[in-house]
Amino acid sequence: MVRLATIILATVLIGPLASPAIGADAGGTTMHMRLLIAEHQFDPATVNALESLWVIEQIQEMPLRYDALARPYQLRTETAAAMPESSADGRQVTVRIRPGIYFADDPAFGSRRRELTAEDYVYTMKRHIDPAVRSTQEKFVRATFAGFEAAFQNAVKAGKLDYDQPLEGASAPDRFTLRLKLTRPLDISARLAFCPMICPVAREVAARYGGHLGEHPVGSGPYRLAEWRRGSAIVLERNPGYRDVRYDEHAGPGDAAAARIAVQLRGRQLPLVPRVELAPIAESEPAWLAFRAGELDFLDLPPNLTESAIGNGRLRPELAAQGITMDSSIDTLCNWFTEFNMDDPVVGGYTPEKVALRRAIGLALSLSDEIRVFESGAAQPPDSLAPPGASGRDPEAHVLRRQYDPAQARALLDTYGYRQRPGETWRRQPDGSALTLQLASFSAQRYRSLEELWLRDLKAVGLNLQVDRFEPQALFRHLRSGSFMATNISFCPGRLAIDHYRYLTSLELGGGNISRFHLARYEELFGRAEALPAGPEQAALMVEMDKLIAAYAPRLMRPNPINYSLARKGVIGLRADWPYPQLARIGFE
């Protein structure tokens, strides 16, 4: 799987890389895991790969976190002493930071123990508007926190940000109080559990390492980066200075499996396993072989290997006999789609013929074949911008359900001037010039089957397709710069349904809105929806936004994968709906 992700509000992308050797550990003190791609760097403000972000989250701590077991998802305190306090008008949030939390020892602090304070979060927030940082959070914080837009503009003019200038939007009235003032009423609780925005970077660490900050993650969390062989292996070891934290997760209503985990692990000191070894394994088959050989302790099952482990929704008997366990869930974190570049002269734009071309492409592609071939049957059809289970989504919303109708696709293309001349194989543009569609794809072998489906289906309606393949980081650069026509990608804004709609607004132009879609009516609906709490009124506005996406087709939704997580005998605490889990809360029996 490849995810262009932000868990809530950053542009974080995923793709496949290379396979290293992994060593097994029979002693139960080391957990071995797979990364889908090689890490890039570990600065939370600029990270663009979900795997790298996940590593950071094991090292640095946010004010809030999600309960590892509870479903529906529940926010819990992490470095906050209590849940945030919001003003009556929804424009101010106060967070009390727990005293006695310390950063791991680092040369940046000299010989002294460095306590985490509210000012560390203020500094972290300011980094997002430093033009030199180029934060993935820049757009959001400029629009959301009072005074941040003006400070950003001043920094652009001056050529640097004045970090000592007080900002109304983020301040520390005392050592352990973080005060956030907003430009509009907004519930930002989930953002306080979102690493790219608020994983704290100590000012001394940023000063010491400068442009190499991403190579030196320093935090107060359960793990520290003990070893990093770039593109080959990551070793996390227990942070010696980590405070005494005990397992205290809670199962959701009627969740018997989670309740058993909660009872079994209750009271154990975190992290449950003192050492974690992570290695990138891009292709599915080597990952599966490593798991079968006992070299990986758990595996997010690659979709193309579902039939190797799962039969009729159950773990195959020969695997169960080995003590392997399985958990399954529809992906509730990410949405999967084809994104068109709305600035592209061939497929972009809002005129009737451009809209018709994009809609015809959608009609020509068989999602049932994509589910069968690319996902090995382990997916369900899409129906909304937000995935099933996202908090606040109307479960009955089906506006973006796709239809496969090649005949209608041909008729639509004919009507709007995309015609084939006698004796020619391919259709032309309405002005008579040649028409070649370009799909920017990942270079991993897994994507060949999806590309073949596209080539087959578009050829059937007379559309010529050229596939351009890129390594992940190269593809991400093309997407961010707008030098692409269409791509198949995934995006992970997080657990809130409304956040899946943000990334098609002008608030994220130049950021997460890689399609460059801009529609005034969509903007107006989003502004109204974002100001509302999750509920029927907000859900109804999201349905209206779905209708606009269906009408203009800047994005074609793709199947929502079913996640299968496999764990070797003795591994406990893993949930399938959380492919990037809190490692400190996974252990051995």
Side-chain angles (χ1 to χ4, degrees), residues 205-510:
V205 173
R208 179 179 179 89
Y209 298 114
H212 298 282
L213 176 65
E215 300 170 13
H216 299 275
V218 179
S220 61
Y223 290 105
R224 66 181 183 89
L225 183 63
E227 184 179 345
W228 178 23
R229 298 195 300 274
R230 190 182 291 271
S232 177
I234 296 171
V235 177
L236 302 177
E237 289 184 348
R238 190 186 196 281
N239 172 8
Y242 189 55
R243 61 198 180 277
D244 185 7
V245 180
R246 304 284 169 159
Y247 191 96
D248 186 29
E249 306 306 284
H250 301 84
D255 192 339
R260 287 192 295 270
I261 294 171
V263 170
Q264 191 166 355
L265 296 178
R266 182 83 65 218
R268 285 175 57 175
Q269 188 174 21
L270 303 183
L272 297 177
V273 175
R275 180 181 171 94
V276 180
E277 295 182 1
L278 307 166
I281 307 178
E283 301 294 350
S284 302
E285 288 78 6
W288 174 241
L289 292 173
F291 178 77
R292 293 298 306 271
E295 296 172 349
L296 294 175
D297 289 298
F298 57 88
L299 179 68
D300 191 22
L301 190 66
N304 62 318
L305 292 175
T306 299
E307 295 177 357
S308 300
I310 309 298
N312 297 319
R314 295 180 179 274
L315 188 67
R316 293 199 177 278
E318 62 270 24
L319 298 178
Q322 299 173 29
I324 293 171
T325 58
M326 181 270 287
D327 189 34
S328 64
S329 174
I330 193 73
D331 192 321
T332 62
L333 178 64
C334 307
N335 50 23
W336 306 75
F337 49 84
T338 299
E339 194 87 312
F340 294 104
N341 182 355
M342 295 295 283
D343 288 343
D344 183 81
V346 176
V347 299
Y350 302 83
T351 56
E353 73 278 6
K354 302 298 187 181
V355 172
L357 176 59
R358 296 191 296 270
R359 294 179 69 173
I361 291 170
L363 290 165
L365 297 169
S366 172
L367 283 196
S368 61
D369 281 353
E370 181 175 338
I371 292 173
R372 178 179 56 83
V373 175
F374 185 64
E375 302 288 358
S376 296
Q380 70 180 39
D383 49 21
S384 172
L385 277 182
S391 179
R393 201 197 97 151
D394 180 356
E396 301 302 317
H398 304 305
V399 173
L400 291 177
R401 183 169 289 172
R402 295 268 297 276
Q403 178 185 3
Y404 174 54
D405 192 337
Q408 186 177 346
R410 294 187 196 97
L412 198 58
L413 292 167
D414 288 340
T415 299
Y416 285 90
Y418 295 94
R419 296 191 174 92
Q420 289 170 283
R421 293 177 179 175
E424 292 188 348
T425 303
W426 308 116
R427 293 177 181 270
R428 291 178 172 269
Q429 297 192 59
D431 64 3
S433 60
L435 172 60
T436 299
L437 304 176
Q438 294 176 311
L439 178 69
S441 184
F442 288 95
S443 57
Q445 185 63 34
R446 164 166 157 65
Y447 289 87
R448 300 298 82 78
S449 63
L450 183 60
E451 295 162 7
E452 289 168 3
L453 292 176
W454 270 61
L455 289 163
R456 180 201 69 184
D457 289 347
L458 294 184
K459 182 178 181 180
V461 298
L463 292 175
N464 185 23
L465 177 68
Q466 173 184 312
V467 178
D468 300 313
R469 301 185 182 109
F470 302 92
E471 293 296 324
Q473 292 300 325
L475 178 56
F476 303 155
R477 287 193 294 271
H478 280 281
L479 301 185
R480 288 191 296 271
S481 66
S483 54
F484 76 101
M485 187 180 292
T487 191
N488 287 319
I489 201 75
S490 177
F491 198 61
C492 307
R495 310 297 177 188
L496 302 181
I498 188 62
D499 285 326
H500 288 263
Y501 291 80
R502 163 176 292 278
Y503 292 91
L504 285 173
T505 69
S506 60
L507 293 170
E508 290 295 331
L509 287 172

Side-chain angles (χ1 to χ4, degrees), residues 10 70 76 84 97 99 124 145 164 171 179 189 203 229 323 376 382 421 431 439 476 550 557 584:
R76 304 277 303 276
I97 303 302
T124 296
F145 297 96
D164 295 318
S171 62
R179 182 164 296 155
S189 298
R203 190 167 184 172
R229 298 195 300 274
S376 296
R421 293 177 179 175
D431 64 3
L439 178 69
F476 303 155
M557 302 310 295

Side-chain angles (χ1 to χ4, degrees), residues 88-102:
D89 65 0
R91 290 177 177 265
Q92 180 171 295
V93 178
T94 302
V95 185
R96 314 290 179 184
I97 303 302
R98 191 188 310 274
I101 298 175
Y102 291 87

Side-chain angles (χ1 to χ4, degrees), residues 2 60 70 109 133 155 276 425 446:
V2 171
Q60 298 176 344
F109 305 131
V133 172
V276 180
T425 303
R446 164 166 157 65

